[in-house]
Amino acid sequence: MRAPDIEVLPFSSLFAPSSSPFFSHLLFLVHTTQRLVQMRSLLFSLIFFIPSSDGESTIHPGHPEWASDSEMENYRDAPMDDNQTKLLVEFHEHNGNLFQDLMRTYHKELSPYYTNYHRPLEHGQVHPPPMRTSATLTWFRIVKLMIEVFQLQDQVEQVMKIIAELRLIWTDHRLAWNPADYGGIQHIYFTRNSIWVPELTVGDSEMASDVAPDYKQNVLVKYTGHVLHYFNVVSHSVCPLVTSNFPFDRQECEFVLIEILFNKNESAIDVQFAERLNFARAGNGEWDILGGHINRTTVADYENVEFDLMRFVFSMKRKSNFYVMVIIVPTFIITTLSITGVFAKRLSGEDFIGELSLGLTSLMTLTVMLGIVADSLPKTNSLPVLSIFLTVEVTLTALSVLVVILHPRVLYPKIKAMRSKMSLPGTHFALNHPEEEQGCLARIRSAICKKHMGANLVFMLVFQVLSFPLPSLIHPSFQAINLANLWYILSFWWME
């Protein structure tokens, strides 16, 4: 089938030439429209008309890269002889008959649990035991342990996002058969939505969903009625954090399984970790998984019906090297340099703008770091050690800035005036001018020295301290507090 040929008729043959500008513009628009129609037809032919081997154009039946017959042959399995082909045909025949016979009286809407345990029994009769389901955690991965903020409720939640693979094994006697009746078939596969599956719900979770839909998941059924099923689930489980030792903290988070509605007389669930489960590879970039254990608790509903609550508890340790190298060490360096820069020279009332600018800049930097840490923590009553460290660093820098502001304008002039009037050569007050040591002031001084010797010593000590430059005393004190603060927070790091 050929692409249709489109003939473009000259528009000038329909109308006589005219010198009017209106007809000139109209002629240009018509020619442009015809060119666009011609290009559209060409693109249409390229997309829907593909040349065949004989030179004619044919419409492609499907995808532009549809596999040919020779390519389809390459996707077949290994070549089979006639005997193997016969066995395969017989297997499919027996497999289809088995499926039809099992599904003839099978109702997936009905559970296999025995619920008639209230019936009175005759002598020697015993009710069947509860149906047991084995739930094994074969693989899991902690995606992240995060602080989620829900804008609609204005609520902060502490959530662990986990991907887990569970292996379920249970017995459904309605799916048992005799292999001799079906060509020796001992197991078959069903899609998950074809049979009944235990209802295991992830508890304490804001969201839980299967990775694949039911029609894409298969279960293995043996002739004894045992059913094996693997499935993956993504869960956002609530995990309250204890942040008093942040970022050197250890947490315990739970992955909870519960079978709602069925009581202990009807169903029993055994949970365990798989032997091949590797906890060391289950963490992420922020958390190391130290191990896990299982807690089983029995709870009762409002009708006093008891059922089990299974908890997979994971012990985790935060990787703190990031916080040490990115927050703690730079904060200590910034604080040390700011204190040293502020008190590097003797403060006077003439020039202190440089020291003030350095202190304020450092204070703003520490405040930003404190805000970063605050955003990554839940709002609880416990104050983390990292917040304490940053608060002390901010306080030291703020006090240094306060000294820079007050000392040149308030303290320095007063101390200078006081030192010009008084000196403390010994254990008594002495004025700089001995001739003024007369009258009322001398008598008051003598009375204080005789009757209040303790107060005299205190006053003497205060004035003696004030006689030294104040920054010379504050600088080593602040640096000592800074070093002690660093030693305090790094002690948590060394004890990990």
Side-chain angles (χ1 to χ4, degrees):
M1 182 176 181
R2 300 176 57 86
D5 296 332
I6 298 177
E7 181 181 2
V8 181
L9 297 177
F11 189 79
S12 59
S13 63
L14 301 179
F15 297 93
S18 177
S19 59
S20 174
F22 171 78
F23 284 101
S24 300
H25 290 294
L26 183 61
L27 183 63
F28 173 78
L29 290 177
V30 172
H31 276 292
T32 304
T33 304
Q34 289 180 340
R35 294 296 182 186
L36 292 176
V37 171
Q38 186 178 10
M39 292 177 61
R40 176 180 176 275
S41 301
L42 179 61
L43 291 175
F44 182 85
S45 63
L46 291 176
I47 295 175
F48 293 99
F49 295 85
I50 299 177
S52 60
S53 59
D54 57 358
E56 294 184 356
S57 299
T58 58
I59 298 180
H60 202 285
H63 195 274
E65 297 183 358
W66 188 267
S68 63
D69 294 338
S70 60
E71 292 175 337
M72 293 293 292
E73 290 292 335
N74 295 330
Y75 289 103
R76 291 173 49 185
D77 294 333
M80 296 187 297
D81 55 21
D82 295 340
N83 185 29
Q84 292 174 330
T85 304
K86 180 180 178 181
L87 291 177
L88 183 61
V89 172
E90 290 179 354
F91 168 78
H92 287 304
E93 182 180 356
H94 289 301
N95 200 28
N97 295 333
L98 174 59
F99 178 79
Q100 292 179 359
D101 293 342
L102 290 177
M103 294 294 104
R104 184 176 294 111
T105 58
Y106 185 85
H107 300 282
K108 65 178 182 180
E109 295 83 6
L110 295 177
S111 70
Y113 294 139
Y114 177 79
T115 60
N116 201 17
Y117 53 88
H118 296 292
R119 170 189 172 184
L121 298 178
E122 298 179 359
H123 181 69
Q125 289 184 332
V126 179
H127 288 295
M131 194 188 82
R132 307 197 70 85
T133 301
S134 173
T136 304
L137 186 65
T138 57
W139 177 88
F140 76 98
R141 175 64 56 87
I142 303 296
V143 180
K144 56 183 175 179
L145 186 58
M146 54 189 173
I147 310 298
E148 286 191 347
V149 180
F150 298 92
Q151 301 294 341
L152 295 180
Q153 296 88 359
D154 194 17
Q155 181 181 359
V156 179
E157 293 290 346
Q158 304 158 42
V159 178
M160 174 187 67
K161 183 178 180 181
I162 180 175
I163 303 176
E165 180 188 69
L166 290 170
R167 182 186 66 199
L168 299 182
I169 300 176
W170 70 94
T171 303
D172 193 340
H173 295 286
R174 301 172 297 174
L175 297 175
W177 71 88
N178 186 4
D181 298 336
Y182 300 96
I185 296 178
Q186 296 189 356
H187 72 273
I188 58 175
Y189 296 96
F190 289 89
T191 57
R192 176 175 170 173
N193 57 353
S194 300
I195 65 172
W196 178 89
V197 178
E199 182 188 0
L200 285 180
T201 304
V202 180
D204 288 346
S205 177
E206 295 179 349
M207 185 192 72
S209 61
D210 291 344
V211 175
D214 289 348
Y215 68 89
K216 290 187 177 181
Q217 300 187 47
N218 294 318
V219 296
L220 183 149
V221 181
K222 299 193 67 175
Y223 70 95
T224 56
H226 291 86
V227 185
L228 173 64
H229 175 42
Y230 286 87
F231 73 98
N232 295 308
V233 61
V234 179
S235 172
H236 288 199
S237 301
V238 177
C239 179
L241 302 180
V242 181
T243 58
S244 57
N245 289 337
F246 176 84
F248 313 103
D249 53 332
R250 300 190 178 193
Q251 306 293 338
E252 284 193 350
C253 294
E254 298 178 347
F255 179 66
V256 182
L257 291 179
I258 184 174
E259 191 175 27
I260 303 176
L261 187 62
F262 304 105
N263 59 51
K264 296 179 62 176
N265 295 325
E266 300 168 349
S267 172
I269 300 180
D270 299 326
V271 294
Q272 60 269 341
F273 290 106
E275 294 182 358
R276 61 179 178 86
L277 185 61
N278 189 357
F279 288 97
R281 301 182 61 181
N284 57 12
E286 187 178 0
W287 295 93
D288 286 327
I289 309 299
L290 304 178
H293 61 277
I294 296 174
N295 289 339
R296 177 190 293 269
T297 56
T298 301
V299 296
D301 60 6
Y302 62 93
E303 294 182 353
N304 293 325
V305 177
E306 294 183 347
F307 54 91
D308 291 332
L309 196 66
M310 287 70 64
R311 305 174 186 268
F312 293 94
V313 183
F314 306 110
S315 299
M316 300 179 290
K317 181 175 72 69
R318 192 190 302 268
K319 298 178 182 179
S320 57
N321 292 339
F322 170 81
Y323 297 93
V324 172
M325 299 303 174
V326 177
I327 295 181
I328 295 177
V329 173
T331 300
F332 171 76
I333 294 175
I334 291 174
T335 305
T336 303
L337 293 179
S338 63
I339 295 175
T340 303
V342 166
F343 300 112
K345 63 179 182 179
R346 184 186 182 93
L347 297 178
S348 60
E350 291 79 12
D351 184 16
F352 65 96
I353 301 300
E355 290 79 4
L356 181 61
S357 300
L358 175 62
L360 291 177
T361 304
S362 302
L363 187 61
M364 292 177 60
T365 303
L366 297 178
T367 305
V368 171
M369 289 189 175
L370 187 59
I372 295 175
V373 175
D375 292 338
S376 61
L377 291 175
K379 307 306 183 288
T380 59
N381 292 329
S382 60
L383 191 63
V385 293
L386 183 58
S387 298
I388 297 175
F389 171 79
L390 293 177
T391 303
V392 172
E393 299 296 289
V394 170
T395 303
L396 289 177
T397 307
L399 291 178
S400 301
V401 173
L402 186 62
V403 171
V404 169
I405 297 175
L406 296 181
H407 185 269
R409 295 187 176 184
V410 180
L411 299 179
Y412 183 78
K414 291 185 177 180
I415 294 176
K416 185 176 180 180
M418 186 183 301
R419 293 180 61 192
S420 64
K421 295 181 179 180
M422 294 185 177
S423 63
L424 300 174
T427 59
H428 63 280
F429 289 105
L431 298 177
N432 290 333
H433 304 281
E435 62 275 6
E436 297 181 1
E437 192 176 358
Q438 303 293 332
C440 181
L441 181 60
R443 290 193 296 271
I444 293 175
R445 177 184 58 78
S446 301
I448 292 176
C449 292
K450 294 179 180 179
K451 297 183 179 180
H452 303 281
M453 184 60 66
N456 184 32
L457 294 177
V458 171
F459 288 136
M460 178 188 65
L461 181 60
V462 170
F463 283 109
Q464 189 68 33
V465 170
L466 292 178
S467 64
F468 292 97
L470 187 60
S472 301
L473 297 176
I474 296 179
H475 183 196
S477 302
F478 281 9
Q479 294 290 15
I481 296 174
N482 189 24
L483 286 173
N485 192 30
L486 178 66
W487 180 270
Y488 167 75
I489 194 168
L490 290 185
S491 63
F492 293 91
W493 188 39
W494 296 329
M495 291 187 299
E496 286 187 332

